[in-house]
Amino acid sequence: MKKILSLLICFSVFVSCVAQNKVVVEATKNAKPKLVVGIVVDQMRYDYLTRFESKFGTGGFKRMMSQGFNCKNNHFNYVPTYTGPGHASVYTGTTPKYHGIISNNWYSREQKSSVYCVQDDAVESVGTKSKAGKMSPNRMLTTSFADENRLFTQMRGKTIGIAIKDRGAILPAGHTANTAYWFHGKDEGVWITSSFYRTDLPKWVNDFNASDKAASYFKTWDTFYPIESYTESGEDLNDFEGGFKGKETATFPYDLNQLKEENGGYDVLRPTAFGNSLTMDFALAAIAGESLGKDNHTDVLTISFSSTDYVGHNFGVNSKEIQDTYIRLDKDLERLFSYLDANVGENEYTVFLTADHGAVNVPAYLKSAKIPAGYLDYNDRKKRFQQFLTEAYGTTDIVENVSNNQIFFNKAKLKELGLDIHKVEQALVDEQISYPNIAKVYTATTMNSTNYTTGIETLLQNGFNQKRSGDVIVVDDIAHIAYSRTGSTHGSGLNYDTHVPLLFFGKGIRQGETFKKTVIPDIAPTISALLGISFPNGATGDVLGFVID
């Protein structure tokens, strides 16, 4: 009997231990990542993943695609597709309609002037005597998922934002970030912040700035692989690229040390692949300096690679320069993942990668290939419009501002003249639609009163903020831009601007891919669900449950 009792006790202890071990295993399996790294590649079209894939190594983009989840039909669901709105939308889980970042710059009715999306004259620069640090997220109206993580962890989880562009660092990090850092070039070449976050730079940032790491990139930029192997891009010498002052042709190689004096000093690094490498250097220093991913409170690191945008604007989406930039970015991503494996743990971090917008092929190049495209003459439009206003209303003063393809009324003047705003709206629609290369025109009244569910109208509505947007909205013809004859730009609601990568990778992420349509505002709710935290307070996106393991 004693033997049976003893056996029962042993069995009971065994079952208890198994149960406890199962709980421990499940708890470990379901534990949150120690670090979330959000990566936005500025001006990255989706097809860069596929077009340059044969030149990528196995540890960067391909590692994310093979070990993580690839959303192949990911789009922006609003216009305009610019950097400020893009970064805000990725991290807030909503569109400019709600987060309020309607462009990089926009006309403020209250201030009667143009404002910059992260401009804040109430704060001071930290790390420079210039005004480059007078920035904050004050104009973003909603929280980011990084904000919600800070609130959830009682501010124990850190948030650090990093980008060469100030808006690329500030908007993703949100309102509660420990700090956001951006690069101030010119004759300084330092990483800076603002008094919104702190009053001085931490030692690790001062050490990095003192290391002359930025100056080390004043060297020759040549192709990573032999240029003749770059068959996925156009000819190196062509008529569609800008280049650098002081160099006759926009062709490899580029001696940046020689070119820096005529191209803004340290700012010469921005439109080169080395700007991304410098950003990665600083991001790795931040992980170490801030001890990110070292405790049980999830930290958030936001990294935006701005140089891809500068290179695209300068050289275009079909250039050898853009291909080399992505080949080198792939190497930098591999460097990041290897560092995270070693210093945070191979299954202890989660990464997502997307873009803030795509870009159109250089219209001059498209025209040479017999594809409809062209350039807009805004000066001619302005002359015709002012003539119309004078003839129809006796004055041009009823219009206060024209910017970002929007017309802002002077409502006090309309009232003074006894004009019906709705009739004037419609008159302007009828006038504008008659101009060359204008495809569609809509009124604010239409945006506020009609619920669109498909087409460009839906995108316009998602980008329309009732308080900040204009009274009449103009849509230009496909592949027609107001830009120089060289280089690429963006901003439309067309596929070349809206279709961007979305890769998830790391802890809690399934391996797979989908052609199911996803949209940018889905990212923040998905990461929030992974972390078990509240969604950003204005989020309108859906949780992509199929990517979560």
Side-chain angles (χ1 to χ4, degrees):
M1 186 69 183
K2 288 182 179 179
K3 189 178 288 186
I4 294 173
L5 185 61
S6 178
L7 287 171
L8 287 172
I9 292 171
C10 289
F11 181 74
S12 177
V13 171
F14 171 76
V15 170
S16 177
C17 288
V18 169
Q20 288 177 15
N21 286 337
K22 185 178 180 181
V23 170
V24 170
V25 169
E26 287 299 316
T28 302
K29 180 180 177 183
N30 297 322
K32 299 174 184 179
K34 292 183 176 180
L35 177 64
V36 172
V37 181
I39 298 173
V40 175
V41 184
D42 204 322
Q43 202 190 113
M44 185 176 184
R45 292 163 53 113
Y46 173 80
D47 66 349
Y48 290 160
L49 277 182
T50 53
R51 183 149 61 98
F52 304 144
E53 186 174 6
S54 65
K55 297 297 190 294
F56 293 150
T58 58
F61 288 116
K62 282 185 177 178
R63 182 177 175 187
M64 294 193 78
M65 289 188 283
S66 64
Q67 296 181 19
F69 203 97
N70 185 358
C71 297
K72 295 184 173 183
N73 189 21
N74 183 61
H75 289 262
F76 280 87
N77 63 339
Y78 66 84
V79 288
T81 42
Y82 293 138
T83 298
H87 283 78
S89 298
V90 168
Y91 286 86
T92 64
T94 190
T95 68
K97 180 177 183 178
Y98 297 105
H99 63 59
I101 305 299
I102 63 170
S103 188
N104 292 335
N105 301 272
W106 65 85
Y107 180 71
S108 168
R109 298 181 192 271
E110 293 79 15
Q111 298 183 29
K112 304 298 181 187
S113 64
S114 178
V115 296
Y116 178 51
C117 60
V118 291
Q119 173 188 345
D120 190 348
D121 294 333
V123 301
E124 299 299 327
S125 299
V126 176
T128 178
K129 292 181 180 179
S130 76
K131 294 182 179 180
K134 294 176 74 64
M135 307 288 169
S136 83
N138 73 103
R139 288 192 165 88
M140 190 166 75
L141 304 176
T142 61
T143 61
S144 69
F145 79 76
D147 286 322
E148 297 299 335
N149 184 65
R150 289 275 283 161
L151 294 171
F152 183 87
T153 61
Q154 303 302 310
M155 303 297 172
R156 296 185 185 98
K158 289 185 175 182
T159 298
I160 303 294
I162 293 170
I164 281 182
K165 292 182 181 179
D166 46 26
R167 57 188 181 272
I170 291 168
L171 296 171
H175 303 275
T176 61
N178 297 80
T179 324
Y181 297 102
W182 52 97
F183 185 69
H184 178 54
K186 301 187 184 299
D187 60 348
E188 293 188 60
V190 292
W191 292 86
I192 66 172
T193 187
S194 87
S195 61
F196 177 85
Y197 305 101
R198 55 186 302 142
T199 57
D200 60 357
L201 294 178
K203 182 179 184 302
W204 70 266
V205 177
N206 283 324
D207 288 346
F208 188 94
N209 286 337
S211 71
D212 290 330
K213 189 67 179 177
S216 72
Y217 288 108
F218 287 145
K219 58 184 181 181
T220 298
W221 177 25
D222 206 347
T223 54
F224 189 86
Y225 298 117
I227 195 167
E228 58 269 18
S229 71
Y230 284 26
T231 55
E232 299 79 11
S233 49
E235 295 295 325
D236 193 28
L237 180 61
N238 59 69
D239 296 327
F240 314 118
E241 302 175 14
F244 293 96
K245 294 178 182 177
K247 191 173 190 303
E248 189 174 341
T249 60
T251 55
F252 282 107
Y254 298 95
D255 185 341
L256 301 181
N257 192 52
Q258 183 180 17
L259 294 170
K260 65 183 180 184
E261 297 303 323
E262 290 188 63
N263 293 273
Y266 283 94
D267 283 339
V268 74
L269 300 177
R270 292 174 182 263
T272 75
F274 297 147
N276 290 332
S277 297
L278 176 61
T279 302
M280 184 61 77
D281 295 336
F282 189 74
L284 298 183
I287 296 170
E290 297 289 344
S291 299
L292 299 181
K294 292 299 185 182
D295 59 29
N296 293 324
H297 302 292
T298 301
D299 298 321
V300 175
L301 174 64
T302 76
I303 310 172
S304 178
F305 291 103
S306 307
S307 287
T308 42
D309 184 67
Y310 290 116
V311 174
H313 278 296
N314 193 351
F315 298 97
V317 306
N318 198 47
S319 63
K320 291 281 190 284
E321 288 79 2
I322 204 72
Q323 180 169 6
D324 192 68
T325 297
Y326 278 91
I327 288 171
R328 291 178 180 271
L329 177 59
D330 181 61
K331 304 300 180 187
D332 283 323
L333 291 175
E334 182 173 2
R335 189 155 58 106
L336 171 65
F337 300 150
S338 296
Y339 186 88
L340 292 173
D341 288 344
N343 292 275
V344 178
E346 195 163 340
N347 193 38
E348 297 295 343
Y349 63 91
T350 305
V351 181
F352 71 81
L353 182 148
T354 188
D356 56 349
H357 52 74
V360 65
N361 243 304
V362 179
Y365 168 69
L366 292 176
K367 289 181 73 173
S368 74
K370 301 181 180 179
I371 294 174
Y375 295 91
L376 305 171
D377 188 343
Y378 278 176
N379 288 328
D380 181 61
R381 273 192 197 176
K382 182 178 179 180
K383 289 177 184 177
R384 289 184 60 172
F385 187 44
Q386 288 182 332
Q387 183 179 351
F388 162 77
L389 292 174
T390 301
E391 291 176 355
Y393 303 105
T395 179
T396 62
D397 291 347
I398 65 168
V399 170
E400 202 165 74
N401 179 265
V402 179
S403 57
N404 289 319
N405 277 29
Q406 297 180 27
I407 300 169
F408 293 78
F409 288 152
N410 181 335
K411 294 182 179 179
K413 191 67 176 179
L414 289 176
K415 187 176 181 180
E416 176 190 323
L417 296 175
L419 296 172
D420 184 311
I421 189 171
H422 302 300
K423 290 182 179 179
V424 177
E425 276 183 335
Q426 190 56 49
L428 266 57
V429 168
D430 295 339
E431 172 66 15
Q432 289 281 324
I433 198 66
S434 70
Y435 295 170
N437 303 128
I438 289 182
K440 295 176 183 289
V441 188
Y442 297 92
T443 68
T445 300
T446 302
M447 290 293 109
N448 289 324
S449 61
T450 306
N451 183 29
Y452 294 108
T453 57
T454 60
I456 189 68
E457 293 81 6
T458 301
L459 276 64
L460 288 169
Q461 196 163 52
N462 287 338
F464 182 85
N465 182 280
Q466 190 172 6
K467 213 166 183 182
R468 295 180 174 179
S469 297
D471 299 288
V472 175
I473 304 170
V474 174
V475 180
D476 293 319
D477 278 348
I478 295 173
H480 282 70
I481 60 175
Y483 203 65
S484 68
R485 265 51 178 177
T486 58
S488 300
T489 194
H490 49 86
S492 79
L494 297 158
N495 286 323
Y496 49 73
D497 282 336
T498 67
H499 191 195
V500 298
L502 177 54
L503 304 173
F504 293 92
F505 161 69
K507 190 176 184 68
I509 302 299
R510 288 180 181 173
Q511 190 280 326
E513 60 185 38
T514 185
F515 284 105
K516 174 183 171 68
K517 186 171 183 178
T518 59
V519 292
I520 286 296
D522 294 338
I523 298 171
T526 301
I527 296 298
S528 297
L530 178 70
L531 297 180
I533 63 176
S534 294
F535 292 3
N537 58 18
T540 54
D542 295 325
V543 175
L544 303 178
F546 49 82
V547 312
I548 299 175
D549 188 3

